């Protein structure tokens, strides 16, 4: 019997993973916040995945953090700002050397988790898949993509990647996962905040080429300073390509703000500005964008961290 996939966070990405793993016959258990959420879930037929317009429901098992069984493999699918406290709730259940697969975007939350869980085996992930919830316990698979997984401390791929293969989850083991996470952070820092400030789709940034170029120049210098030269290579070109390729889309940060949801600013622009401060690198444009973004968030009554 293969190891159970415990999934912490039954939101967009957590449901996308849970349904595909369950569909492939893997043992999956969702960990919901409390008995109220568990009762709400158990009152329905399970988790629904909408793919290519077709909805399929899977009766995935669920539990609360208080369930006594030990956890050997935990897919952490919470937002970056919730990851650490959500895992801490499960501290007593984590088996020695449990595997924690961290799906959070940006940087900062992964190190915070790893520092609190020195005996766990933390695997970092960076995903270009896209999903959103269109109802309670329902998720729409909106953008097919790839998930890179890696462990900066261990270059060897774990055998359970076969589960992902069987489940049809496109993935690759990456020996330079930090480079991937930094690169994605830089792309997100160059695009997402400006889409909030200009209230536009990604393509709207084509009207602000100088601002995009200046942010890319500062981000490239920062990546070099942080020992990430591969992540800084041709950053501006890639940012322009992404803006063009996703011109009709609203960035994830734009969508969070539009839906009055907390953003992951601290793990993107906040992390970049803190890293620059550590290296005494002046990044005046990144800081100015951060300040303008914080102002916008506060004006809308959203947390600024
Ligand atoms: P989400 O808000 O849809 O889901 C997070 C879930 O975690 C929510 O259901 C929330 O209730 C749950 N949660 C929070 N604290 C919890 C706790 N203590 N116990 C149990 N559940 C808890 O978020 P998402 O869109 O799935 O994003 C998750 C992460 O993946 C983010 O870092 C995001 O940036 C990243 N990501 C998302 C996508 C996407 O398309 N949605 C794509 C790439 C990366
Ligand atoms: O990842 C993105 C997001 O919206 O979060 C893109 C499309 C790359 C824009 O930064």
């Amino acid at each position: 019997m293969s190891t159970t996939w415990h999934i912490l966070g039954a939101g967009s990405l957590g449901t996308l993973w849970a349904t595909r793993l369950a569909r492939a016959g893997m043992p999956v258990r969702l960990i919901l916040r409390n008995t109220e959420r568990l009762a709400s879930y158990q009152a329905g037929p399970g988790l629904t995945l909408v793919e290519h317009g077709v909805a399929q429901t899977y009766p995935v098992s669920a539990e609360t953090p208080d369930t006594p069984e030990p956890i050997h493999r935990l897919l952490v699918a919470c937002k970056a700002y919730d990851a650490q406290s959500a895992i801490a709730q499960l501290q007593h259940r984590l088996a020695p050397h449990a595997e924690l697969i961290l799906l959070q975007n940006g940087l900062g939350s992964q190190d915070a988790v790893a520092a609190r869980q020195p005996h766990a085996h933390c695997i970092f992930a960076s995903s270009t898949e896209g999903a959103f919830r269109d109802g309670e316990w329902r998720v729409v698979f909106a953008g097919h993509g790839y998930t890179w997984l890696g462990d900066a401390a261990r270059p060897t791929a774990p055998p359970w990647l076969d589960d992902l293969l069987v489940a049809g989850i496109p993935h690759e083991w990456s020996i330079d996962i930090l480079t991937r996470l930094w690169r994605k952070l830089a792309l997100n820092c160059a695009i997402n905040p400006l889409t909030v400030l200009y209230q536009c789709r990604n393509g709207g940034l084509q009207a602000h080429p100088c601002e995009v170029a200046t942010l890319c120049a500062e981000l490239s210098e920062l990546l070099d300073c942080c020992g990430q030269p591969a992540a800084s290579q041709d950053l501006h070109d890639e940012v322009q390509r992404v803006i063009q390729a996703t011109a009709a889309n609203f960035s994830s940060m734009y969508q969070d703000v539009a839906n009055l949801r907390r953003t992951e600013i601290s793990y993107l622009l906040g992390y970049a500005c803190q890293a620059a401060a550590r290296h005494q690198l002046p990044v005046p444009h990144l800081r100015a964008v951060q300040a303008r973004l914080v102002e916008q968030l506060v004006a809308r009554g959203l947390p600024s961290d």
Side-chain angles (χ1 to χ4, degrees), residues 139-210:
V139 74
V140 178
F141 197 169
H144 289 260
Y146 234 78
T147 301
W148 285 270
L149 301 129
D151 177 346
R154 302 184 199 202
T156 321
W160 50 260
L161 287 188
D162 285 351
D163 284 12
L164 307 191
L165 205 63
V166 174
I169 299 175
H171 67 281
E172 199 175 292
W173 184 253
S174 170
I175 53 164
D176 53 4
I177 190 68
L178 284 177
T179 300
R180 289 208 172 268
L181 285 162
W182 268 108
R183 177 72 161 198
K184 177 105 192 303
L185 175 142
L187 282 166
N188 288 162
C189 285
I191 298 174
N192 298 12
L194 290 181
T195 62
V196 175
L197 296 178
Y198 290 115
Q199 282 297 287
C200 65
R201 294 175 195 264
N202 292 352
L205 299 185
Q206 283 160 338
H208 305 280
C210 295

Side-chain angles (χ1 to χ4, degrees), residues 105 184 187-188 191-192 202 242 246 250-253:
N105 201 11
K184 177 105 192 303
L187 282 166
N188 288 162
I191 298 174
N192 298 12
N202 292 352
V242 171
T246 62
F250 288 110
S251 76
S252 54
M253 191 180 272

Side-chain angles (χ1 to χ4, degrees), residues 8-14 31-33 65 77-82 85-86 89 103-105 127-133 184 264:
L8 179 59
S12 306
L13 224 48
I31 301 178
L32 304 177
R33 277 177 197 273
C78 307
K79 295 282 195 184
Y81 46 76
D82 281 329
S85 58
Q89 276 183 296
L103 286 180
Q104 289 59 50
N105 201 11
S127 181
T128 58
E129 293 196 310
F132 64 88
R133 278 180 284 178
K184 177 105 192 303
E264 294 181 304

Side-chain angles (χ1 to χ4, degrees), residues 2 91 264 292:
S2 55
Q91 187 72 53
E264 294 181 304
R292 284 161 65 201

